């Protein structure tokens, strides 16, 4: 095995080794200081809670995954369309960008009571909260990718007879794909945040609801089991879009062994 191969192997194994080390330290500290389970459960307590409640955990996890993916899909569709509109026109960019920033500054949990009044308690507020919280990164990254197209390149293309639509379709959109896929990796993790926030406030299904119910009975092992499940789902979805990004925008990351 060459040195480069060993380096790549260590890079691939490093997240798992770090996770294993942190888990061992966590377990040792909890056992050594006899930390009560209702305050801070050890990994072994979390595993026990998973084994005991795995059926309801999976049921609620599937609900959270559904609301997250649904809200994320809406954010991608509307974010992509609005991002293209904003990024392709300097006038629209200057007019809408401050409004988008102001909207993003509002804590999305503040929208949940309004959504409950409009749509009732349940799945719809969770989907819309996931949409609202993951919408902004898609719009901003897509608009930035289009708006930063070099003026010199546009001048050259126009001199060759290309129209604004030709420049958009054949140059600007392909060039902005790295921005777009980077926004997807951020947006999917934020979508989980939105779903869980709504589920803790206004739902009777989902990991957020499960965690709130467990915390009311001081079952912290189950609470942390829910947190772990959310983390795993977030990492898996992130890696899915990272994989798609590497396949679709290989030209933007060529020569880099650490491209995410």
């Amino acid at each position: 095995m060459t040195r480069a191969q060993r380096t790549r192997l260590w890079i691939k194994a490093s997240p798992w080794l770090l996770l294993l080390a942190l888990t061992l330290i966590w377990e040792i500290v909890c056992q050594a200081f006899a930390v009560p389970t209702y305050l801070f459960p050890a990994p072994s307590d979390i595993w026990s809670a998973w084994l005991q409640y795995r059926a309801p955990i999976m049921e609620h996890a599937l609900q959270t995954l559904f609301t997250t993916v649904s809200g994320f899909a809406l954010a991608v569709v509307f974010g992509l369309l609005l991002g293209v509109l904003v990024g392709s026109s300097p006038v629209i960019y200057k007019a809408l960008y401050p409004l988008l920033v102001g909207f993003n500054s509002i804590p999305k949990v503040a929208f949940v009571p309004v959504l409950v009044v409009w749509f009732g308690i349940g799945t719809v507020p969770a989907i819309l909260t996931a949409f609202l919280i993951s919408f902004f990164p898609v719009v901003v990254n897509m608009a930035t990718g289009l708006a930063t197209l070099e003026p010199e390149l546009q001048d050259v293309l126009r001199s060759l007879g290309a129209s604004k639509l030709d420049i958009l379709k054949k140059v600007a959109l392909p060039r902005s794909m790295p921005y777009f896929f980077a926004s997807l990796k951020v947006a999917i993790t934020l979508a989980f945040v939105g779903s869980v926030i709504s589920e803790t406030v206004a739902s009777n299904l989902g990991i957020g609801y499960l965690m709130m119910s467990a915390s009311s009975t001081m079952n912290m092992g189950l609470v942390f089991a829910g947190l772990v499940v959310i983390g795993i789902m977030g990492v898996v979805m992130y890696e899915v879009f990272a994989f798609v990004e590497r396949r679709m925008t290989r030209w933007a990351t060529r020569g880099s062994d650490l491209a995410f």
Side-chain angles (χ1 to χ4, degrees):
M1 183 180 292
T2 64
R3 181 177 180 181
Q5 290 175 327
R6 289 196 299 269
T7 301
R8 284 194 292 269
L9 182 60
W10 274 106
I11 290 174
K12 291 181 179 179
S14 59
W16 300 101
L17 295 175
L18 179 60
L19 178 62
L20 178 60
L22 292 176
T23 303
L24 289 174
I25 294 173
W26 183 356
E27 181 73 28
I28 291 171
V29 169
C30 289
Q31 298 297 337
F33 292 95
V35 180
T37 303
Y38 63 86
L39 287 181
F40 193 68
S44 57
D45 299 319
I46 299 173
W47 177 248
S48 298
W50 159 256
L51 293 177
Q52 182 178 356
Y53 299 102
R54 60 184 178 275
I57 289 176
M58 289 305 300
E59 178 185 355
H60 290 286
L62 290 175
Q63 172 67 17
T64 297
L65 183 62
F66 169 74
T67 57
T68 299
V69 173
S70 300
F72 171 75
L74 291 174
V76 171
V77 172
F78 288 99
L80 181 60
L81 294 175
L82 185 58
V84 171
L85 180 65
V86 172
S88 59
S89 172
V91 175
I92 298 177
Y93 186 93
K94 291 182 180 297
L96 283 184
Y97 198 84
L99 298 178
L100 292 173
V101 172
F103 171 78
N104 191 59
S105 302
I106 302 174
K108 301 306 177 287
V109 69
F111 286 103
V112 177
V114 178
L115 296 176
V116 170
V117 172
W118 289 350
F119 303 102
I121 293 175
T123 302
V124 175
I127 292 176
L128 293 178
T129 307
F131 161 73
L132 291 173
I133 203 170
S134 58
F135 174 74
F136 184 76
V138 180
V139 175
V140 170
N141 277 35
M142 196 65 199
T144 301
L146 294 174
T148 55
L149 182 65
E150 294 82 354
E152 297 82 1
L153 179 57
Q154 298 183 56
D155 293 338
V156 171
L157 293 171
R158 289 195 190 95
S159 68
L160 295 175
S163 64
K164 288 193 67 175
L165 185 59
D166 292 330
I167 296 174
L168 177 65
K169 291 192 301 183
K170 298 179 180 180
V171 179
L173 284 176
R175 180 186 176 278
S176 63
M177 284 299 101
Y179 292 86
F180 175 64
F181 282 105
S183 73
L184 296 186
K185 294 187 294 185
V186 174
I188 188 61
T189 56
L190 292 177
F192 276 103
V193 174
S195 293
V196 174
I197 286 175
S198 181
E199 289 168 354
T200 58
V201 176
S203 181
N204 51 11
L205 280 174
I207 291 293
Y209 169 77
L210 178 69
M211 291 169 55
M212 287 297 293
S213 299
S215 63
S216 65
T217 60
M218 302 300 289
N219 190 348
M220 298 305 291
L222 181 55
V223 172
F224 274 76
L227 291 174
V228 171
V229 170
I230 294 171
I232 291 174
M233 291 193 296
V235 170
V236 170
M237 295 301 296
Y238 180 97
E239 288 298 325
V240 167
F241 288 107
F243 175 80
V244 175
E245 178 188 23
R246 288 193 293 269
R247 293 297 178 269
M248 297 292 293
T249 61
R250 186 179 294 275
W251 55 269
T253 57
R254 63 184 184 272
S256 174
D257 293 329
L258 297 177
F260 292 100

